[in-house]
Amino acid sequence: MIFAAIFRMIEHAARLHGLNRGRGFMNFFSTRNADVKASFREAVFHGLAPDGGLFHPEVEPDLRNDILAFDEESSFQDIASRITARLLPEDFSESDAAALCERAFPFSPALKQISEDMYLLELFHGPSCAFKDFGASYLANVMELFLEGDDGRAVILTATSGDTGSAVAGAFYEKKNIDVVILYPSGRVSPLQEKQLTTHGGNISALEVQGSFDDCQRMVKEAFLDPELAGRLRLTSANSINLGRLIPQTFYYIYGFSQLKHRVPAEVFFCVPSGNFGNLTAGLLAWRWGMPATGFVAATNRNDVVPEYLDTGVYQPRPSVRTMSNAMDVGNPSNFERMQQIFGSDLMDMRSMITGIAVSDEETARTMKHYYVDRGIFLDPHTAAGVYASRQFLARSFPGVGRVITLGTAHPGKFGELVSEATGCAPDLPERLSRVLDLPKKSTVVENSLEALRTYLLSHYT
Ligand SMILES: *Cc1c(COP(=O)(O)O)cnc(C)c1O
């Protein structure tokens, strides 16, 4: 106890004197047990900590000076590479970090003003047209770099209900020494999503599982625990709890802040359409590292366990319900553990920084219609839920004081049918999405069992 207290004091003093500067956080620990530690490389290849917890940075580096030096002239790549080099100096020199971010980010976010006090940070200009491209692309390039020089190949197994798989497939396509196997539930992803998963070929294989998304997830979990597979293959995951996906999501908050800071002298809030809460967690990390955000709005659909927790203090996970913003249909958000870690499980602290707002499908559809009819702006259902929550938040706040940046998580064309239904008009489908519709589907139908997955993996990768 006493030693721990003294250690904390020394650590605190060291931080005040900047001794941690440049050291970055070499180490990560499990949210379930602070003694379970890993390097960045280990955390990237293991995904989940061995005790089932999530890896979390051990020290919070002070990057305030770096962050405040950025402005509207700073490119996204510049911000990404500077922060990478500061955070992970043991893994990346400045020039490695620059090369990594140049490869990972041939696309960039865009900040657009949509009303007097609201901005949209569009995160859908990447290959799969959703924000998950940022995390997936960084992770893919980090893994490729780490595997260079190792002999042997890594096999990435991932289960998807649609969006994650398409970002992962695009990001890992043609990466050296990596094979990707995506499991998706037959007949339960949209036709466009299915094409995004199944048309790459090469090192990307799509398994069409005769079962539900939960079956796909169970098969992947069982495969990781299977001794024969573990002995013969280097299996790894690419799901959204992986640190290699979380860290790059901090970069676009810093980018959005830097774009806005000279435009208006106002407090900056971020509103995040949330499901598993990875995106919001990344925003909180950016703030802890020194980005001067005043607060966050956690926008959910009817799956509102986090807003409910902020309201009542009771955290009650439950099975998800279906809504029109289906990438946010999560009943037990895995990143809640990281949020608890950030606030030391202190409800009042969390409340002082995060406002939770749950949005119904009806409010979401109304928002899509309103923005289209009034201003000619198409919003996808996820982003629309965020925009609605931002308006609610501003309506409750002191007028004129704050600006809200809502994260635009998906391109409206990606959810074209729902958008047309709400607005009466069809948004354009970006060329990179319409192109895949004409390509032939290449998938392998597999039975819903570990045995079927094991047979497939052993026959293709050993
Ligand atoms: C994944 C996803 C979300 C939810 O993000 P989390 O990090 O899981 O909270 C929101 N919108 C879209 C379009 C998504 O694909």
Side-chain angles (χ1 to χ4, degrees):
M1 274 301 286
I2 288 180
F3 283 118
I6 291 172
F7 181 71
R8 266 202 306 279
M9 276 168 59
I10 293 171
E11 199 182 55
H12 187 64
R15 185 171 322 161
L16 287 181
H17 287 97
L19 293 182
N20 274 338
R21 287 209 134 255
R23 193 176 131 220
F25 44 75
M26 302 155 294
N27 273 310
F28 300 87
F29 68 97
S30 165
T31 47
R32 303 220 177 138
N33 179 353
D35 293 330
V36 175
K37 296 191 201 271
S39 66
F40 180 60
R41 182 190 274 252
E42 288 163 339
V44 157
F45 284 107
H46 289 146
L48 213 58
D51 63 351
L54 308 190
F55 286 119
H56 198 73
E58 221 175 358
V59 283
E60 283 174 341
D62 178 1
L63 305 180
R64 177 170 291 258
N65 291 343
D66 296 289
I67 291 171
L68 292 180
F70 299 128
D71 60 18
E72 59 283 354
E73 302 291 316
S74 311
S75 72
F76 179 73
Q77 273 186 14
D78 285 347
I79 292 176
S81 65
R82 167 64 67 86
I83 301 294
T84 297
R86 281 281 186 255
L87 290 176
L88 304 164
E90 305 248 300
D91 299 284
F92 305 104
S93 67
E94 301 246 335
S95 63
D96 290 345
L100 167 71
C101 293
E102 194 184 324
R103 288 176 62 97
F105 303 121
F107 51 91
S108 173
L111 188 73
K112 303 250 165 88
Q113 185 163 17
I114 56 170
S115 75
E116 171 76 25
D117 40 14
M118 299 217 302
Y119 292 78
L120 202 60
L121 185 61
E122 296 179 348
L123 302 174
F124 46 71
H125 300 293
S128 84
C129 295
F131 81 87
K132 291 184 175 72
D133 288 329
F134 287 90
S137 186
Y138 189 83
L139 176 66
N141 284 281
V142 164
M143 279 189 175
E144 186 181 49
L145 263 179
F146 283 165
L147 285 169
E148 229 170 58
D150 285 16
D151 40 295
R153 297 176 70 84
V155 177
I156 291 177
L157 263 191
T158 187
T160 186
S161 56
D163 264 8
T164 296
S166 52
V168 167
F172 283 86
Y173 179 56
E174 293 191 324
K175 288 281 165 271
K176 291 193 282 295
N177 302 318
I178 305 177
D179 292 302
V180 177
V181 179
I182 296 170
L183 285 76
Y184 72 95
S186 180
R188 303 198 202 182
V189 302
S190 77
L192 173 62
Q193 282 172 334
E194 184 170 41
K195 283 294 173 90
Q196 286 185 288
L197 299 174
T198 57
T199 51
H200 285 285
N203 63 330
I204 313 291
S205 304
L207 300 187
E208 187 173 347
V209 175
Q210 302 195 295
S212 65
F213 170 59
D214 290 335
D215 293 326
C216 298
Q217 240 176 349
R218 186 180 33 80
M219 286 163 70
V220 167
K221 276 195 186 137
E222 288 173 357
F224 283 123
L225 297 172
D226 187 88
E228 188 184 0
L229 288 175
R232 300 185 57 191
L233 292 171
R234 182 168 180 181
L235 282 185
T236 184
S237 74
N239 51 25
S240 66
I241 49 98
N242 194 304
L243 270 176
R245 283 181 55 175
L246 186 67
I247 286 174
Q249 292 181 254
T250 64
F251 307 156
Y252 48 68
Y253 285 90
I254 298 168
Y255 175 84
F257 178 83
S258 313
Q259 286 289 309
L260 188 56
K261 67 175 188 182
H262 290 317
R263 288 201 211 172
V264 276
E267 301 191 336
V268 177
F269 297 83
F270 286 92
C271 175
V272 190
S274 297
N276 237 336
F277 282 80
N279 221 356
L280 183 77
T281 298
L284 295 172
L285 287 179
W287 161 64
R288 297 294 286 201
W289 301 341
M291 178 186 73
T294 310
F296 293 84
V297 181
T300 67
N301 54 31
R302 275 204 301 128
N303 297 284
D304 60 349
V305 291
V306 172
E308 183 182 271
Y309 168 73
L310 290 164
D311 224 29
T312 64
V314 181
Y315 187 69
Q316 186 72 264
R318 48 183 165 259
S320 64
V321 293
R322 270 189 87 95
T323 74
M324 69 197 281
S325 45
N326 63 10
M328 291 155 59
D329 293 350
V330 180
N332 188 9
S334 47
N335 282 289
F336 187 69
E337 283 185 39
R338 285 189 171 123
M339 293 165 65
Q340 289 286 61
Q341 195 74 51
I342 288 170
F343 292 103
S345 299
D346 185 326
L347 173 65
M348 297 311 274
D349 254 16
M350 194 188 281
R351 265 186 194 152
S352 69
M353 206 56 200
I354 308 176
T355 305
I357 298 182
V359 183
S360 70
D361 273 359
E362 201 265 322
E363 288 159 343
T364 301
R366 213 161 8 100
T367 306
M368 290 198 276
K369 176 161 186 185
H370 172 80
Y371 274 81
Y372 178 67
V373 172
D374 250 35
R375 309 161 199 226
I377 298 172
F378 280 119
L379 300 170
D380 95 281
H382 307 82
T383 307
V387 167
Y388 179 86
S390 295
R391 297 225 304 183
Q392 292 292 103
F393 176 77
L394 282 165
R396 294 179 202 167
S397 319
F398 200 73
V401 177
R403 299 288 182 272
V404 182
I405 298 177
T406 302
L407 271 48
T409 52
H411 192 287
K414 199 166 182 180
F415 296 90
E417 259 174 47
L418 291 167
V419 176
S420 320
E421 246 167 64
T423 62
C425 198
D428 284 339
L429 193 60
E431 198 273 333
R432 59 194 184 284
L433 290 189
S434 57
R435 201 177 45 83
V436 297
L437 285 173
D438 298 327
L439 298 174
K441 162 177 157 182
K442 287 168 271 181
S443 69
T444 306
V445 178
V446 296
E447 216 179 90
N448 142 29
S449 74
L450 172 64
E451 195 44 46
L453 177 59
R454 188 198 285 119
T455 307
Y456 180 89
L457 291 173
L458 291 176
S459 67
H460 284 77
Y461 304 110
T462 57

